[in-house]
Amino acid sequence: MPKKIFFNPKQYSLFDDNQDSEKSTLTGGADLRTEKTGKSELETPVVELEKNNLIKYISFGSGSSGNCSFIGNEEEGFLIDAGVESDTVFKGLKDNGIALSSIKGICLTHDHSDHIRYAYNILRKIKTINLFCTNRVMNGLLRRHNISRRIKDYHVAIFKEIPFKLAGFEITAFEVPHDGTCNSGYSISNGKAKFVLATDLGRIKERARFYMQDANYLVIESNYDMKMLENGSYPEYLKNRILAENGHLCNDECAQFLAEIVSPKLKSVFLCHLSNDNNTPELARRTSEQALIQRGVTVGEGSDSLVDRAKDVQLVVLPRYDITRCYKFRNSL
């Protein structure tokens, strides 16, 4: 009997009532998760994830110049986005003792070039990995002239708010408002802790809030300072795009959200996707730090020093171009 291939030609969030009626073309994006085991990975008990007691995180770049990060454990991991040159990513992995053979896939948040520019190049160099994204994101990639149509051969379709397994983690994509195609944040669990990433989002809506407030480790956009944007040199149409509900998140909105959700279970926050022209790392950090302090929370710098470890929450600004150290989070929650 031939193996069943599960395909959904149109990707929606289960909880979004405002989806448009745009028809998607078939991309060949099949759900191949049953290929090796003969059963859906959704049937795998979450308890199996508890064998992995460590979450590793590296950022290779964050911002409109390129976005890519690594999430892993002791044995394997995966990339989120592929907007940083592959040689830079591979060097960062090697310098941290992470073999390319341990990379099991790439998860894309959306189809903007600063998130997908080097996806096909990385897929060709590692060869054995797949590209995990919604069907609509894949269609967005195929509309780009600078992306090989062969990228669809690596595609594994994912569906918002339906968990899938990859590299020892259970991953759930969720809706975020942005002007890309079918934009996703990711909630990533190893059975004990949750690492949540939400970048390129104009507002934090209900479904995104649901996942983000449950994070132990959170990557959140802090793109621009309102005054710098208003008084800056950007043309009005670009300012309006950034300010829109499906644009980017400002420092104040990020800080307000963190102050609302902070609790003892939130251990580390990474501010990502800072504007090069309308923000500074110091300003982004100070805005969120002050909001947290007003809630009576002590804030560390993520340096892993004894002084920092005594703080309630670690607050780190991700660099635009540089590779961060490998953050290692042990599950003692």
Side-chain angles (χ1 to χ4, degrees):
M1 179 180 293
K3 187 179 298 294
K4 290 183 180 179
I5 296 180
F6 302 93
F7 182 80
N8 184 347
K10 197 166 186 179
Q11 173 58 48
Y12 292 128
S13 166
L14 298 179
F15 297 91
D16 191 348
D17 296 327
N18 298 312
Q19 297 289 356
D20 59 38
S21 59
E22 175 189 0
K23 293 183 178 179
S24 298
T25 57
L26 299 181
T27 66
D31 186 343
L32 303 178
R33 290 173 291 177
T34 63
E35 182 172 331
K36 294 183 179 180
T37 63
K39 68 175 183 178
S40 169
E41 290 184 352
L42 298 178
E43 299 173 12
T44 305
V46 175
V47 70
E48 292 185 7
L49 301 175
E50 295 182 3
K51 296 177 182 178
N52 301 312
N53 195 45
L54 176 72
I55 297 178
K56 295 181 179 181
Y57 172 66
I58 304 171
S59 172
F60 303 103
S62 179
S64 58
S65 301
N67 300 270
C68 182
S69 56
F70 166 82
I71 304 287
N73 53 43
E74 298 276 16
E75 299 176 352
E76 53 192 352
F78 61 94
L79 302 178
I80 297 181
D81 288 331
V84 175
E85 211 281 324
S86 57
D87 288 344
T88 300
V89 174
F90 295 161
K91 182 180 184 302
L93 292 170
K94 182 179 179 181
D95 289 347
N96 284 283
I98 300 169
L100 290 186
S101 60
S102 71
I103 305 300
K104 303 304 180 184
I106 304 172
C107 296
L108 296 182
T109 59
H110 61 293
D111 64 340
H112 282 170
S113 61
D114 57 321
H115 294 259
I116 56 92
R117 188 179 296 120
Y118 297 99
Y120 185 60
N121 185 259
I122 293 174
L123 290 165
R124 288 189 65 194
K125 288 186 176 181
I126 301 183
K127 299 183 185 301
T128 57
I129 67 173
N130 290 111
L131 184 68
F132 296 79
C133 63
T134 68
N135 289 317
R136 290 177 65 197
V137 168
M138 176 53 60
N139 288 333
L141 266 63
L142 295 176
R143 288 193 292 266
R144 292 181 172 270
H145 298 295
N146 60 340
I147 297 288
S148 170
R149 294 188 65 83
R150 293 181 179 178
I151 198 170
K152 66 184 178 181
D153 297 336
Y154 298 88
H155 181 215
V156 175
I158 65 172
F159 305 92
K160 288 182 181 174
E161 306 212 39
I162 297 180
F164 64 99
K165 302 294 195 306
L166 178 63
F169 294 91
E170 182 177 81
I171 305 172
T172 305
F174 57 88
E175 180 74 18
V176 294
H178 189 52
D179 57 3
T181 301
C182 199
N183 314 277
S184 296
Y186 286 103
S187 176
I188 301 152
S189 173
N190 65 354
K192 291 186 177 180
K194 291 183 178 179
F195 190 105
V196 178
L197 180 143
T199 181
D200 292 70
L201 70 166
R203 301 289 185 272
I204 301 174
K205 294 195 171 182
E206 180 184 356
R207 296 313 299 167
R209 175 180 287 269
F210 174 81
Y211 290 97
M212 294 168 71
Q213 69 186 4
D214 201 31
N216 305 114
Y217 311 103
L218 177 64
V219 180
I220 180 173
E221 182 176 46
S222 189
N223 181 259
Y224 63 94
D225 173 74
M226 185 66 74
K227 290 183 179 179
M228 288 184 68
L229 178 65
E230 290 175 347
N231 299 325
S233 60
Y234 280 13
E236 287 303 313
Y237 81 88
L238 184 53
K239 290 181 180 180
N240 290 333
R241 174 180 174 251
I242 293 169
L243 290 166
E245 190 172 88
N246 63 344
H248 291 278
L249 200 67
C250 75
N251 291 345
D252 291 335
E253 290 173 303
C254 171
Q256 179 182 344
F257 175 74
L258 292 176
E260 291 173 358
I261 70 162
V262 68
S263 72
K265 73 178 177 182
L266 181 62
K267 302 299 182 183
S268 295
V269 174
F270 297 89
L271 305 180
C272 72
H273 213 283
L274 274 65
S275 169
N276 194 48
D277 301 307
N278 302 302
N279 209 352
T280 67
E282 296 77 17
L283 184 54
R285 189 182 193 284
R286 183 167 66 248
T287 305
S288 286
E289 181 181 32
Q290 289 176 347
L292 291 168
I293 290 174
Q294 288 176 3
R295 285 293 311 277
V297 176
T298 57
V299 182
E301 299 179 350
S303 67
D304 210 27
S305 67
L306 291 176
V307 173
D308 258 2
R309 290 181 188 179
K311 305 293 186 181
D312 296 321
V313 64
Q314 304 302 314
L315 181 63
V316 177
V317 178
L318 294 180
R320 187 176 187 85
Y321 301 108
D322 296 335
I323 302 172
T324 66
R325 69 180 178 91
C326 181
Y327 293 91
K328 299 180 180 181
F329 306 117
R330 299 275 176 189
N331 299 150
S332 57
L333 302 173

